[in-house]
Each structure stands twice: as C-alpha cells, then as structure tokens.
C-alpha cells in the first residue's frame, strides 16, 4: 500500500502521451483481485481465533503463528519475489504465485491440526509475496499515460487498504454461516478467475536485469526475524529457559549480520542508505508502529468481543465496520489534512489521534457497553487512515527519483512486517499478563481453552473460573493497548524531531 505516488500522479498528460486502451482498465480490475485477497488474509482470521481454538486446540504460541507466519513470509520475500518477476516474467510469476496461494488456501481450509494450518499459512505467505509486487509492476507497464497510471496505482492501493479493513467483517459473516475453514475457500474462485482471464488481458514483461540475487540477505533476514519471534512467543508461553534464550541469541546475531551484509553488498536486498533521509525514516517508522498497534488491537479486541462480552462472531464483525469506514475515509482525505497542517503537523496529529483511540480502549471491562469500543476504535481509525496515506506519499517522494522503486519496496515491507510484529510481540505480552493474573487458578494457555475447560466444572467453580479468565484477559488487553499507545506517542515525538524545519 505504499506506492500511490510512485509515478508523477496528478500531472496533466501532455498531448504526446498515448491514451490508455480499454483493455488496460479491464486488466487493472483483474490485477486488483489478488491484492484484495492478500490484504484480506492478513486480517480475516482475527475473529476466527475462538472458533479455531475449539476446533484445533492450538497453544497460545501456535495461535499467534497461525496469524503471523503469513505476514512474516510476505514481508521477508516481497522484494526478492519482485526481483524474480523482473527476471523471469512478471505475469508468469503472478500466475505461479496465484496457484500456490490457491492450493495453500484449500489446505488451510481443511487443516486437521494447528501444525498443518501453520504450514498452509506459511505457503500462502510465499504465494502472497509473489502477487503484490508482480501486480503493481504490471500496472506500471500497462499504463503509459501518467495521469491514468496514477489513478490505477491509487485503485491498487485502495484495494490493499480495503482488503485489510473488510477482512474481519467478511470473515465474521462467513463464520456466522459456515465452519472456520470457509474463510480460506473464498480465495479459490477468485484465483480461478485470475488464472483463466489474466493470460488473455495482461501482457508479459521482463526487465532484462542481470544483477545477482541477494540470496545471503534473504536467508539472514529470515534467520534474524523468525528465531527472535519464536523466542518471544516461547518465553511468553513457557517462561525463560535455554530454548528461548538460544533462539533469541541466534536471531540477534543474524540480524546484526544481515545489517552488516546489506551495508557491504553491491546489490543489497534493502537499500539501508535510504534511511539517511529524515522524511523517509519518519514515514517507514510510522508505518511500522501503526501496523504493529493496529494488528495487535484488531486481534485482541476480536477475542474480547466474543470471549469476554459473549457476542457472536457476526456481531463482532459488524462492530468493526465504523473503524474500517474511518480508515478508508480519512485515508482518502489525508491530502487535505496535509495541506492544512503541513506534512509534519499531519503526521504528528494522526499519530496522537491513533494513540488517543488506543487509550480509549483502557475503558473496556468485562461488562462494558459496546459504544465505548466503537468510539475508541473509530477514533484510532481516523489517525491510522491519515498515516497510511501519508506514508505512501512521503516515503517515495522523499527518496531520490532513481531510488523510488527501492523506497516503495521498503515501504510495502514495513506494512506487512509491522502487522506480524504487532501480533507476535503485543499478542505475547497480553498472553503473559493473562497467565500471570490467574490468582492460583488453573488457566490454560488462552482464554478460549480456559473457557472450554470451565464447562467440565461444577456451577460455582465454573462461574469463578470464567469470571477470573475474563478479568485476566482484559488486564492483558489493557497492558497491550497501553503499550501501543505509548509507542505511538513516542513515534509522534520522533517524527516531530525528524521533520522539523531546517535552515
């Protein structure tokens, strides 16, 4: 969702510029489909967690892996898959990735165990990593007219933002009528349509580049991120032990090696020197922080609405609509806010508005009226919507023109990585608080397992365990949202410094 201003959008086309053929617009509609699916599958499981807990009985760590292994692999492979498409054909890679994504969706829909579901989600992440860069780069090739290209990239961006917003709502509707695996089968007819129509309306493109792959960078980045995340989840569920410490050390060493390797490589995976530009650094860090807090809050409040307030999955899905509308509306109106307050003022104000919305969730309790949740998440959605659009503009515009592609790749990666990190870190933090607030009661790893366990107890014990579990979960939710709000406030201060006026 980071390349809306990669082209010279908004400039009136010169008379010499060719007109866009109608076939290109039809191709845009087809290319928007995989983007919508990839974005939806980031968030479609937020409301399915209680149902999956009953069906597959995953541990707390497995629950988080089910959600975020998808995003980690997309973030880790996004730029690499873009390079593969440039070499071997963008349409070819798009179609191959679509087949992988579709097959993995079917496996996920009928997964008999949590381990199989995690594996299927990982395979979906690999397929998804091919779809986003291939579809965007094909759009830039199909639309030669600058104004039309800007509009087409705007449509692509809206599909990504819209998919992320409607994922929980659509997932909730499906879960209300069908079993949890049905949310993955939604992908199959869309992928089938893409495979049938795309070869007929989308042209092939290769860049002809001969620059070597940064395979070492890809391996080191995954060796850094995945062991670190595993360490966080393992320590959250099992406490500090040799396994957690060893995994953490491996991850830290690999990340240090990755940074040094990127600085020395002639063809790096990430052009780290782009972070020398203050506006670029501000935009990327803002995207990462906002997606961390939004992903974690969406996941935790989805469980809260069902397991604490006792609402069914459809009601929980509908409760997410106001926030989704706020994100979409203010994402479209972000340019007006920027014109009114300036880029620095818009960034800082939006981050503080998001923080205020997160702080509003501290008012949630075990019997809180639903309107408090609606108001708090809608306020946060206003800030998030502004940030997402500003990041798209500032990250690419602040980099030199010859590095716009690299800047857009890092920006895209920050969105996917932020979501996954939020689920891993803040989700694990909430789990630690939940388990430590058991007051001697026999809690399971998750509130879903604990509530299921309570059904086998006598009436008095059952009521006591359920009340205690719900209170402990709310305590964990409070710690997570307070942490998220703190991160947003700190980021607002950092952005205010980075974007201050200079002589």
């Amino acid at each position: 969702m980071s390349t809306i201003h990669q082209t010279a959008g908004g400039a009136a086309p010169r008379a010499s510029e060719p007109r866009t053929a109608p076939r290109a617009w039809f191709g845009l509609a087809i290319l928007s489909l995989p983007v919508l699916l990839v974005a939806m599958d980031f968030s479609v499981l937020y409301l399915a967690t209680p149902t999956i807990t009953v069906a597959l009985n995953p541990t707390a760590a497995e629950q988080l892996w089910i959600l975020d292994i998808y995003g980690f692999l997309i973030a880790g492979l996004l730029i690499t898959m873009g390079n593969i498409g440039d070499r071997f054909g963008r349409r070819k890679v798009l179609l191959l990735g679509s087949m992988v994504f579709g097959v993995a969706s079917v496996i996920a829909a009928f997964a008999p165990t949590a381990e199989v579901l995690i594996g299927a989600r990982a395979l979906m992440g690999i397929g998804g990593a091919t779809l986003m860069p291939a579809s965007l780069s094909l759009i830039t090739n199909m639309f030669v007219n600058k104004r039309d290209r800007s509009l087409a990239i705007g449509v692509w961006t809206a599909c990504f933002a819209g998919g992320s917003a409607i994922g929980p709502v659509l997932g909730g509707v499906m879960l209300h009528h069908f079993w949890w695996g049905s949310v993955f089968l939604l992908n199959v007819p869309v992928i089938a349509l893409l495979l049938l129509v795309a070869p007929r309306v989308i042209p092939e493109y290769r860049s002809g580049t001969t620059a070597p792959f940064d395979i070492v960078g890809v391996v080191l980045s995954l060796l850094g991120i995945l062991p670190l995340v595993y360490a966080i989840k393992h320590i959250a569920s099992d406490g500090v032990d040799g396994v957690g410490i060893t995994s953490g050390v491996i991850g830290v060493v690999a990340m240090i090696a990755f940074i040094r390797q990127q600085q020395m490589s002639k063809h790096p995976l990430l052009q780290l020197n782009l972070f020398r530009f203050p506006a670029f650094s501000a935009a990327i860090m803002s995207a990462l922080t906002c997606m961390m807090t939004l992903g974690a809050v969406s996941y935790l409040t989805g469980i809260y609405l069902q397991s604490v307030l006792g609402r069914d999955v459809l009601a929980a899905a509908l409760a997410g609509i106001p926030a989704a509308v706020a994100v979409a509306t203010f994402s479209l109106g972000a340019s007006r806010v920027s014109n009114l307050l300036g880029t620095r003022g818009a960034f800082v104000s939006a981050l503080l508005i998001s923080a205020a919305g997160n702080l509003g969730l501290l008012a949630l309790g075990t019997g809180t009226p639903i309107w408090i949740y609606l108001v708090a998440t809608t306020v946060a959605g206003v800030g998030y919507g502004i940030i997402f659009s500003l990041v798209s503009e500032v990250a690419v515009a602040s980099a030199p023109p010859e590095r716009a592609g690299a800047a857009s790749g890092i920006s895209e990666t920050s969105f996917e990585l932020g979501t996954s990190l939020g689920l891993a870190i803040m989700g694990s933090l909430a789990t630690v608080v939940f388990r430590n607030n058991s007051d001697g009661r026999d809690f399971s790893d998750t509130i879903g397992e604990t509530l299921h366990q309570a059904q086998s107890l006598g009436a008095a014990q059952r009521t006591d365990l359920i009340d205690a579990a719900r209170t402990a979960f709310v305590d964990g939710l409070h710690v997570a949202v307070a942490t998220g709000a703190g991160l947003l406030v700190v980021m607002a201060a950092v952005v205010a410094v980075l974007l201050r006026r200079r002589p």
Side-chain angles (χ1 to χ4, degrees), residues 75-76 78-80 83 214 217-218 221 225 255 258-259 261-263 265 267-275 406-407 409-411 413-414 417:
L78 196 68
I79 296 175
T80 300
N83 290 334
D214 185 13
V218 175
S221 65
I225 293 174
M255 286 304 298
F258 170 71
I259 293 172
Q261 184 266 344
Q262 292 294 287
Q263 292 171 336
S265 175
H267 304 282
L269 183 68
L270 298 177
Q271 294 193 19
L272 297 178
N273 54 8
L274 285 172
F275 287 94
I410 295 175
S411 182
T413 301
S414 70
L417 185 59

Side-chain angles (χ1 to χ4, degrees), residues 70-143:
Y70 173 76
F72 277 126
L73 285 174
I74 287 183
L77 297 175
L78 196 68
I79 296 175
T80 300
M81 292 301 184
N83 290 334
I84 291 175
D86 289 342
R87 292 168 180 271
F88 301 106
R90 293 172 177 174
R91 188 183 68 184
K92 183 183 297 182
V93 169
L94 174 75
L95 297 177
L96 180 61
S98 298
M99 288 188 284
V100 172
F101 194 84
V103 170
S105 298
V106 174
I107 296 173
F110 298 100
T113 65
E115 292 83 356
V116 173
L117 182 55
I118 291 170
R121 289 279 286 172
L123 193 60
M124 289 176 66
I126 295 172
T130 70
L131 299 179
M132 293 183 61
S135 61
L136 182 59
S137 57
L138 283 167
I139 287 172
T140 62
N141 298 134
M142 291 161 55
F143 290 85

